[in-house]
Amino acid sequence: MTNKRLNPDLYHGHNKTSDFFEGWYFKITDEASNLSLAFIPGIIKGKEKYSFIQYINGIENQFEFFQYPEGDFNASKNRFEISIQNNSFSLEGIHLSLSGNTGCINVNLDFNSIFKWPDSKINPGSMGFYNYLSFMECYSQVCTLDGTATGEININDKKIILSNAKVYIEKNWGKKFPYSWFWIQSNSFKNQIALTCSIAHIPFPLGSFRGFLIGLKLNDSFIKFTTINRSKLNIIKKEKDIKLIAVNKRYELTVEPETSREEFLMLHGPTGSNMHPYVKESITSKVKITLKSKADKKLILEETGAMAGIEYGGNFEKLFF
């Protein structure tokens, strides 16, 4: 267990028999090819036990849920490497062959220039010391904040060759998703920028709190705004979206997503005993970010990211406090 806490990318369910889920999220985007895809391999152990791969095609507005026997899922105990039948996923790449209602999808991609969330033994992964707590309802991990994908994707005999696409990888595991959350992500900016934001209602002994993880990669540097480093977060509700203002000791970051209802697809999420379609997600939105120095409000960065991933999950209005 210590190995998994120090390396949250690894599979946590080898000894779990019920009320458990784990899923990894691979998002591939390429503006030049007008491509925005996501693949979610995972496993659920509840009333039913099975493995699955979710397929999201943002540009074509397509979604499909592929279900497999539990025994078709395999995960290494020592490294981030999982497979479901002949479909494999790792930090080095993905190799998939899927056939269903949306047609045939074949993917052979290698990942390079991986940028991971900086961590330590005291604060492993993006959730930090919360990984050491055994009673959390849901855990999350940013496996790859940014990276490049090269290779080939073939969707219904349409071949796409990628030489400098973007990859983002994260994961969740536990009993079920929080009953309220936001998720905002993009690494499709003009410059070497990548953003990830997760805000959720966290049940805790003797109460609950609003936890958040916001990471900003700027070239080779990394700036974080988190509950752990005592950053402050203000959430402003707009007409159809939200505005986040996060402040740490040195910086003020404003995050403004821009979505339309037509972009959202209904994904499956864990409820404790099974997977159900209740997670609304877009992977073709935009997000504007503004970074200023805290001391003098000097503008450092103002950029808009494309192919942004956006989720407004559950009873998200509970997060406005």
Side-chain angles (χ1 to χ4, degrees):
M1 180 58 75
T2 300
N3 187 36
K4 295 172 185 176
R5 286 171 175 166
L6 291 175
N7 185 1
D9 293 357
L10 299 179
Y11 176 51
H12 290 67
H14 282 108
N15 298 319
K16 302 289 185 180
T17 58
S18 63
D19 296 327
F20 177 81
F21 82 94
E22 190 154 0
W24 293 258
Y25 182 96
F26 290 75
K27 180 166 171 274
I28 312 296
T29 56
D30 186 51
E31 285 192 88
S33 303
N34 194 31
L35 180 79
S36 187
L37 304 176
F39 300 93
I40 308 174
I43 191 166
I44 182 79
K45 298 180 181 183
K47 290 182 179 179
E48 296 185 47
K49 294 178 172 60
Y50 54 85
S51 55
F52 60 85
I53 298 174
Q54 301 191 58
Y55 164 66
I56 305 102
N57 187 327
I59 301 301
E60 300 296 332
N61 206 239
Q62 291 180 335
F63 169 80
E64 188 157 358
F65 187 89
F66 297 91
Q67 186 171 321
Y68 304 87
E70 179 188 12
D72 285 353
F73 177 91
N74 290 284
S76 170
K77 292 184 177 181
N78 302 312
R79 64 190 306 269
F80 177 9
E81 186 175 64
I82 60 174
S83 64
I84 300 175
Q85 286 191 358
N86 60 337
N87 304 290
S88 63
F89 304 81
S90 73
L91 278 180
E92 287 73 46
I94 56 175
H95 304 279
L96 315 176
S97 179
L98 304 171
S99 181
N101 295 328
T102 51
C104 296
I105 304 112
N106 291 284
V107 180
N108 286 287
L109 295 177
D110 295 322
F111 301 152
N112 299 284
S113 304
I114 294 299
F115 187 97
K116 294 184 67 63
W117 184 291
D119 63 2
S120 64
K121 287 186 177 180
I122 296 175
N123 286 304
S126 53
M127 275 191 72
F129 73 84
Y130 288 110
N131 282 297
Y132 291 109
L133 305 181
S134 60
F135 53 79
M136 301 289 285
E137 179 181 64
C138 183
Y139 300 83
S140 67
Q141 161 71 350
V142 177
C143 307
T144 299
L145 195 73
D146 193 23
T148 59
T150 59
E152 180 180 306
I153 295 176
N154 193 312
I155 302 176
N156 295 325
D157 295 326
K158 179 183 178 181
K159 184 183 293 186
I160 303 170
I161 304 298
L162 301 178
S163 59
N164 195 33
K166 289 289 188 176
V167 58
Y168 170 82
I169 308 171
E170 69 168 41
K171 65 175 290 191
N172 294 97
W173 72 98
K175 293 183 178 180
K176 59 182 178 180
F177 276 175
Y179 77 80
S180 58
W181 76 90
F182 300 136
W183 174 73
I184 303 167
Q185 180 276 331
S186 178
N187 54 349
S188 294
F189 291 85
K190 290 182 180 178
N191 297 305
Q192 296 299 310
I193 299 167
L195 171 78
T196 184
C197 304
S198 296
I199 303 102
H201 173 271
I202 309 296
F204 217 67
L206 304 178
S208 62
F209 66 96
R210 183 181 67 183
F212 59 94
L213 302 168
I214 301 175
L216 177 66
K217 171 186 175 286
L218 180 56
N219 297 316
D220 292 325
S221 64
F222 180 72
I223 304 169
K224 60 183 176 181
F225 305 82
T226 68
T227 309
I228 294 172
N229 74 1
R230 299 185 179 181
S231 297
K232 304 298 181 183
L233 179 66
N234 185 23
I235 304 175
I236 301 169
K237 187 175 182 181
K238 299 172 69 175
E239 191 170 309
K240 63 175 182 176
D241 286 305
I242 60 172
K243 178 179 180 180
L244 306 179
I245 302 174
V247 181
N248 65 15
K249 292 181 179 179
R250 296 183 59 189
Y251 302 101
E252 176 183 293
L253 176 69
T254 301
V255 179
E256 299 178 86
E258 181 183 331
T259 67
S260 66
R261 292 183 179 180
E262 294 77 19
E263 297 171 339
F264 285 85
L265 292 165
M266 189 72 76
L267 280 58
H268 290 228
T271 60
S273 61
N274 211 331
M275 299 287 292
H276 294 285
Y278 73 100
V279 179
K280 295 179 181 178
E281 178 176 304
S282 165
I283 55 172
T284 54
S285 298
K286 295 180 180 179
V287 58
K288 178 183 177 182
I289 59 173
T290 306
L291 183 69
K292 298 179 180 179
S293 61
K294 181 182 177 182
D296 57 9
K297 303 297 182 182
K298 182 180 179 180
L299 181 65
I300 300 171
L301 171 72
E302 188 173 44
E303 294 279 355
T304 298
M307 307 294 188
I310 311 288
E311 284 181 7
Y312 296 149
N315 188 8
F316 63 85
E317 292 189 358
K318 290 290 185 180
L319 295 170
F320 291 90
F321 62 84

